[in-house]
Amino acid sequence: DSGVTQTPKHLITATGQRVTLRCSPRSGDLSVYWYQQSLDQGLQFLIQYYNGEERAKGNILERFSAQQFPDLHSELNLSSLELGDSALYFCASSEGLNSGANVLTFGAGSRLTVL
Amino acid sequence: AQKITQTQPGMFVQEKEAVTLDCTYDTSDPSYGLFWYKQPSSGEMIFLIYQGSYDQQNATEGRYSLNFQKARKSANLVISASQLGDSAMYFCAMREGQVRSGGSYIPTFGRGTSLIVHP
């Protein structure tokens, strides 16, 4: 157990729908990252939060949004889902913001299937 | 341009043998970090080893070692005494520099190498 908790583990939904993925970071970690892993794109960085504030954005679609709450858990909202959004979505956490090794600890992932 | 290149889509190794997984990187920032992660078939990403660009010695963690050749911009992972449980995807990743120098500090990942360990 990495200490990073992601729910749900699996999710099957239809095109056009909206889903929310949830992440609880490892105890003591203030930074949360979201990555998308698909067969054609590999592991792509989506967005980073640090202590409740958005700090970096990657290849995140406008249909996707995220937030980090005061208790440091984070949610990734995916709306108007398309078939191509089917992927494994990872949450990762790290201690700080931009210092040291910045080793990311990953959760087990949420596998989204859009039919 | 790819920042992290893993040229071996698949590798096979006999149990108890050593195997080297290749990783080359591209950066002009003098301060960077290199990581290796393992992803077994169950899907989770497991951190294996880290090497900082200023670290004088190659990193080692148990059976894992990182063959860091700065001039060649390579950071190959060496797994000694392979075990059946080492069968997995292996990802090399890099985070660049400090935010104050324009680095994003967000790790970017290569496409991975699939390792299969034969009994």
Side-chain angles (χ1 to χ4, degrees):
Chain A
D1 184 357
S2 68
V4 179
T5 304
Q6 287 189 249
T7 56
K9 285 188 168 37
H10 300 278
L11 191 55
I12 301 173
T13 189
T15 54
Q17 295 298 305
R18 172 190 169 94
V19 299
T20 297
L21 309 180
R22 183 189 166 100
C23 169
S24 293
R26 200 177 55 156
S27 178
D29 286 356
L30 299 179
S31 272
V32 169
Y33 308 75
W34 287 96
Y35 281 82
Q36 178 195 57
Q37 186 180 34
S38 60
L39 280 174
D40 55 342
Q41 294 292 327
L43 201 64
Q44 297 284 316
F45 167 68
L46 296 179
I47 197 163
Q48 177 203 14
Y49 282 83
Y50 174 76
N51 206 21
E53 293 187 4
E54 180 186 307
R55 296 308 298 249
K57 251 184 176 177
N59 302 319
I60 188 166
L61 300 172
E62 285 192 10
R63 300 184 285 107
F64 296 0
S65 65
Q67 53 184 328
Q68 186 180 28
F69 295 87
D71 67 353
L72 300 179
H73 92 270
S74 178
E75 292 181 357
L76 179 67
N77 301 297
L78 315 175
S79 62
S80 302
L81 285 168
E82 302 175 359
L83 296 177
D85 298 327
S86 296
L88 186 55
Y89 291 84
F90 282 109
C91 171
S93 69
S94 68
E95 285 183 6
L97 182 58
N98 298 309
S99 62
N102 202 41
V103 174
L104 269 58
T105 301
F106 281 79
S110 292
R111 185 169 295 282
L112 173 66
T113 302
V114 182
L115 301 176
Chain B
Q2 289 283 338
K3 288 190 177 289
I4 292 286
T5 302
Q6 295 181 255
T7 56
Q8 307 154 313
M11 289 285 285
F12 296 86
V13 66
Q14 201 75 24
E15 195 179 7
K16 299 178 186 174
E17 297 290 314
V19 63
T20 298
L21 306 183
D22 294 342
C23 172
T24 57
Y25 58 91
D26 181 25
T27 181
S28 57
D29 199 310
S31 175
Y32 53 91
L34 296 153
F35 309 80
W36 278 91
Y37 284 83
K38 171 185 178 181
Q39 186 178 34
S41 58
S42 51
E44 72 270 30
M45 294 285 284
I46 303 166
F47 167 70
L48 296 177
I49 197 166
Y50 168 80
Q51 178 87 42
S53 59
Y54 294 122
D55 293 342
Q56 294 296 312
Q57 293 190 327
N58 285 350
T60 61
E61 290 286 348
R63 294 186 299 110
Y64 304 108
S65 60
L66 207 153
N67 183 3
F68 182 45
Q69 298 187 43
K70 203 168 180 176
R72 297 180 59 188
K73 294 188 175 179
S74 75
N76 298 338
L77 177 71
V78 180
I79 306 174
S80 63
S82 296
Q83 302 172 356
L84 296 178
D86 293 336
S87 295
M89 283 291 292
Y90 288 81
F91 292 92
C92 180
M94 176 179 67
R95 64 111 184 103
E96 293 175 278
Q98 303 290 328
V99 170
R100 63 175 177 272
S101 66
S104 73
Y105 231 85
I106 305 293
T108 56
F109 286 76
R111 297 304 296 262
T113 294
S114 174
L115 175 66
I116 296 176
V117 181
H118 287 301

